[in-house]
Amino acid sequence: MIRCNKDGDLWTVTIDRPDKAGALTREMLTELADTAEDATTAKAFILTGTGAVFSAGADLEAAKAGLATDPVWERLSGAIAALPGLTIAALNGTVAGGAFGMVLACDLRISVPTAKFFYPVMKLGFLPQPSDPARLKGLVGPARAKMILMAGQKVSAADALAWGLVDRLIEADQLMDTAAALAGDALQANPVHVSAIKQMV
């Protein structure tokens, strides 16, 4: 359910569970985290999904068993944030709940126009993953972060673009080509320069 394609210095990781809206089990999250921790030599790392939804967050049965508060979510987002290469979330559809963490940890986010973004953590009785509020605030500002995390707003792709939550809206048939094009300069550059510029920013 997690696929990793390594094409030289470009790693593409795909959440491939369209029949369950990309819902994540602990095993899937662990595999994602392991993959991100192994991708330190990649100059570019693209994260995507299949079907109409990128990820609905925690698998319902797994959430009932405690996955919603498992530290593996933070391990995953931390591993992506720590990568020295350019990281891109190529969002094939809606992002919900805990799936926000890995998306917020990426350097760039592109999305199909039909995607929605919501993180209804408070009404479900949980706190967000520890790093998510600061990353979200850094992108959209404190009030809009509270709109998502506290007011439970479901944000359209158009609003996500206007708010700075995503960087471009791309039609589905062009999504992966666009992600690869955005990675192009990093793939041709000295990896020391890629990492250094990322740290400078």
Side-chain angles (χ1 to χ4, degrees):
M1 290 182 276
I2 303 298
R3 292 190 283 108
C4 179
N5 180 62
K6 302 174 187 178
D7 183 7
D9 295 319
L10 173 63
W11 288 35
T12 302
V13 178
T14 305
I15 299 169
D16 190 10
R17 200 185 183 198
D19 56 316
K20 297 290 186 181
L24 297 159
T25 64
R26 192 179 194 289
E27 291 73 22
M28 292 169 70
L29 286 164
T30 299
E31 188 173 351
L32 284 166
D34 288 345
T35 301
E37 288 170 352
D38 288 344
T40 54
T41 60
K43 292 182 184 178
F45 180 94
I46 298 173
L47 182 63
T48 192
T50 56
V53 177
F54 169 74
S55 177
D59 177 89
L60 185 58
E61 293 305 313
K64 290 176 182 176
L67 183 62
T69 57
D70 195 294
V72 70
W73 297 96
E74 187 72 7
R75 179 188 160 210
L76 170 56
S77 62
I80 293 172
L83 285 174
L86 179 66
T87 55
I88 302 169
L91 303 171
N92 55 292
T94 291
V95 178
F100 251 84
M102 68 184 98
V103 171
L104 293 171
C106 288
D107 299 314
L108 304 176
R109 282 153 295 281
I110 60 175
S111 170
V112 296
T114 53
K116 301 260 190 312
F117 300 83
F118 57 104
Y119 197 162
V121 63
M122 190 176 70
K123 76 174 183 179
L124 295 176
F126 304 112
L127 292 174
Q129 298 157 43
S131 298
D132 288 359
R135 289 190 180 121
L136 184 58
K137 181 182 116 175
L139 293 173
V140 304
R144 286 169 173 166
K146 291 170 189 170
M147 287 276 282
I148 294 169
L149 292 172
M150 300 183 75
Q153 293 301 289
K154 186 177 286 189
V155 179
S156 68
D159 281 343
L161 179 65
W163 289 10
L165 181 57
V166 299
D167 303 300
R168 285 187 186 170
L169 298 185
I170 308 292
E171 294 299 331
D173 61 350
Q174 301 170 36
L175 185 70
M176 297 311 295
D177 286 345
T178 301
L182 289 171
D185 283 4
L187 292 172
Q188 295 178 42
N190 184 320
V192 173
H193 293 163
V194 176
S195 177
I197 290 173
K198 182 167 176 171
Q199 290 178 42
M200 292 168 75
V201 172

